[in-house]
Amino acid sequence: MRLIVFLFAWLLTVPASADPEFWRHEWPRTDFSRSSVENWGEILSGGPPKDGIPALSNPDFLPVTAVSDISGREPVITLEVGGEVPRAYPIRYLIWHEIVNDQIGDLAYAVTFCPLCNSALIFDRRTAQGILTFGVTGKLRNSDMVMYDRETESWWQQAEGRAIVGALTGTRLDALPGWMESLDTFHRRNPDGLVMAEPDHARPYGRNPYRGYDTASRPFLYSGEPPPHGIAPLARVVRVGDRAWPLDRLARAGRLTEAEVTLNWEQGLASALDTAEIDKGREIGSVRVQDAQGRDLPHDVMFAFAFHALWPQGTWMLGQ
């Protein structure tokens, strides 16, 4: 099979529908009486149990100049916080772990990556309920990762940073202005930057367990509507708030200024969800989004089906 030899192909033993009673045995601490989910059948098991995909916390880092085993084309998620040394989190690690809980000074944050919807976001873990620590439920909703916090075991929609089940239902995490770019691009801009070191787990880092996924005709475990305007479900779009710009439109233009934001595209970034080896993935380019003052803005480069499912009233920025 070209489409994934999905790392967890054995997972197709999921029920056709679910309700809170089905999940209680695995999640006795979760308050299922509180939820914004109207149709429990939307939440499916992706296969792995709770923490079957192990989130990471407080990883080690290397100077970017000391990194020799990662190709310069490989994607990293970058976080640049004023006054702190910039950090890069390689997708070759996040594709296997999906969440990294980390901290710089007083800023506690979670770096998240959902391969099935290509959503890569960094969230502030500081909330009115205290600092939260996140793990992976093994559940999917609209093919997007459902995270959970270890403090209350509430469930969170990753692409939105919003609690959808449990005591914290309705709580939203603040997104930080991180972005995905190549290791080479990060190195050029931050010669003194730090790169997350390889985790101490038995994983074939650098390999893509979702080979061929981003050129597939349909998403994994998704039964919702396709995107409008003839956009392919697995086409990438740049989401800023509730607006989405097709990535191919931005790549042709190189730069777009619309809706009071400026989007820039730069070549040199490999897709992590294409070939078996991440560094051999086809060119997709990286994106930076800034406001009128040149400040970086939170944004996501996600698959079109996920944007349509989670922002059904969102605006598609198609140009003329």
Side-chain angles (χ1 to χ4, degrees), residues 88-137:
Y89 297 81
I91 292 296
R92 61 163 44 207
Y93 307 142
L94 278 155
I95 205 169
W96 296 97
H97 296 282
E98 301 193 356
I99 300 173
V100 179
N101 297 286
D102 207 354
Q103 186 159 344
I104 297 178
D106 294 331
L107 176 60
Y109 57 91
V111 183
T112 70
F113 176 59
C114 175
L116 295 177
C117 61
N118 199 64
S119 177
L121 292 164
I122 304 177
F123 295 109
D124 193 332
R125 295 192 286 122
R126 300 170 299 179
T127 72
Q129 291 75 31
I131 295 176
L132 303 178
T133 306
F134 290 94
V136 182
T137 64

Side-chain angles (χ1 to χ4, degrees), residues 10-320:
W10 47 282
L11 304 178
L12 297 181
T13 57
V14 296
S17 62
D19 60 42
E21 292 304 318
F22 182 85
W23 306 120
R24 285 186 199 279
H25 69 285
E26 186 183 10
W27 297 87
R29 292 183 54 213
T30 301
D31 182 359
F32 287 100
S33 70
R34 301 186 61 182
S35 172
S36 60
V37 176
E38 296 181 1
N39 177 8
W40 285 93
E42 292 179 351
I43 298 180
L44 301 174
S45 172
K50 175 184 179 182
D51 296 323
I53 297 173
L56 303 173
S57 292
N58 303 314
D60 293 328
F61 287 85
L62 300 171
V64 66
T65 53
V67 176
S68 60
D69 58 346
I70 303 179
S71 165
R73 295 185 68 239
E74 285 195 33
V76 300
I77 300 176
T78 293
L79 178 64
E80 296 181 359
V81 177
E84 302 288 347
V85 178
R87 295 185 178 187
Y89 297 81
I91 292 296
R92 61 163 44 207
Y93 307 142
L94 278 155
I95 205 169
W96 296 97
H97 296 282
E98 301 193 356
I99 300 173
V100 179
N101 297 286
D102 207 354
Q103 186 159 344
I104 297 178
D106 294 331
L107 176 60
Y109 57 91
V111 183
T112 70
F113 176 59
C114 175
L116 295 177
C117 61
N118 199 64
S119 177
L121 292 164
I122 304 177
F123 295 109
D124 193 332
R125 295 192 286 122
R126 300 170 299 179
T127 72
Q129 291 75 31
I131 295 176
L132 303 178
T133 306
F134 290 94
V136 182
T137 64
K139 310 295 184 286
L140 299 170
R141 181 169 178 253
N142 293 315
S143 203
D144 178 45
M145 169 177 47
V146 177
M147 314 186 295
Y148 78 98
D149 68 82
R150 301 189 189 281
E151 289 70 27
T152 73
E153 297 206 351
S154 297
W155 294 6
W156 301 71
Q157 188 86 57
Q158 177 266 343
E160 294 180 289
R162 177 174 63 92
I164 58 173
V165 177
L168 300 185
T169 293
T171 303
R172 288 185 179 271
L173 302 172
D174 291 331
L176 300 176
W179 58 89
M180 191 183 294
E181 62 186 352
S182 71
L183 178 62
D184 274 350
T185 300
F186 174 83
H187 189 177
R188 284 195 302 270
R189 195 177 58 256
N190 301 298
D192 298 322
L194 296 173
V195 178
M196 177 182 157
E198 183 172 305
D200 186 20
H201 285 260
R203 300 288 189 278
Y205 297 119
R207 302 285 294 180
N208 165 29
Y210 305 91
R211 180 170 60 89
Y213 183 64
D214 67 357
T215 53
S217 59
R218 55 189 302 177
F220 181 63
L221 289 182
Y222 176 72
S223 58
E225 295 180 350
H229 312 296
I231 298 173
L234 288 144
R236 287 174 169 85
V237 299
V238 184
R239 182 187 67 81
V240 185
D242 61 356
R243 291 185 170 90
W245 285 258
L247 183 62
D248 59 359
R249 179 188 171 214
L250 175 58
R252 289 192 300 270
R255 179 184 178 94
L256 292 170
T257 298
E258 296 176 346
E260 301 182 348
V261 301
T262 296
L263 302 89
N264 291 282
W265 181 89
E266 179 181 345
Q267 66 178 2
L269 180 67
S271 167
L273 300 169
D274 181 21
T275 53
E277 297 180 40
I278 290 176
D279 68 332
K280 302 296 194 301
R282 74 183 188 284
E283 174 69 44
I284 56 170
S286 59
V287 176
R288 292 279 293 275
V289 179
Q290 297 173 322
D291 64 14
Q293 287 72 47
R295 296 172 296 196
D296 288 301
L297 295 175
H299 66 277
D300 199 6
V301 180
M302 66 194 313
F303 291 136
F305 81 85
F307 175 76
H308 182 55
L310 297 172
W311 286 270
Q313 305 304 316
T315 301
W316 294 84
M317 306 296 288
L318 304 180
Q320 298 299 323

